[in-house]
Amino acid sequence: HKKTCIPWTGTKDPKELALTWDELEAFGGFPAEGKVLEIRAMLDESMVRQVFQCKDRLGKLRRIAAYTNSRGIPGLQQGSIIKWKNPKFHYFMDGSSGARIEEEDLPNITVS
């Protein structure tokens, strides 16, 4: 062992971890450039457009809504993991909060 060895704590460097809902909200509605939001689709609340309650890595639930031409996000279903590069936070008219995904955001989103 080297004297400068640092024991591994079992966690990633905080700079590498995906954003949480609270961290994204701190950006004030502006895109979080160079960051990734990783969430799991938990509850389908779709009516006219695709809307899901999604959980971040800390377990906090917030809403995502698809404001795309197709009113949906390709491949999204309950249990899917969504990774969104350069995400932005949104406050909805009904008082809830989360993310509004628009057509121009789709190239930055992967669903698995």
Side-chain angles (χ1 to χ4, degrees):
H1 255 33
K2 297 179 183 177
K3 289 184 179 183
T4 57
C5 182
I6 300 170
W8 187 61
T9 60
T11 60
K12 289 185 175 182
D13 179 5
K15 293 178 185 174
E16 296 176 21
L17 291 174
L19 288 174
T20 64
W21 282 119
D22 290 340
E23 290 169 339
L24 183 59
E25 186 176 15
F27 281 86
F30 293 101
E33 296 293 333
K35 304 286 185 184
V36 175
L37 176 68
E38 185 175 324
I39 50 180
R40 180 177 295 275
M42 299 301 289
L43 179 64
D44 189 352
E45 299 179 336
S46 303
M47 296 285 255
V48 176
R49 68 182 76 252
Q50 199 172 33
V51 177
F52 272 89
Q53 286 287 336
C54 294
K55 181 170 70 171
D56 67 9
R57 64 182 165 85
L58 298 180
K60 188 161 196 173
L61 285 170
R62 294 277 174 97
R63 177 176 287 165
I64 63 163
Y67 283 77
T68 60
N69 295 340
S70 65
R71 296 184 178 183
I73 299 164
L76 182 60
Q77 58 188 358
Q78 193 166 339
S80 296
I81 294 178
I82 304 143
K83 292 182 183 177
W84 184 10
K85 296 176 192 165
N86 308 321
K88 54 185 178 273
F89 197 80
H90 184 76
Y91 292 101
F92 296 100
M93 296 286 286
D94 67 356
S96 65
S97 59
R100 174 181 168 141
I101 296 174
E102 300 184 21
E103 192 71 31
E104 57 269 13
D105 298 318
L106 291 179
N108 292 326
I109 293 175
T110 56
V111 177
S112 56

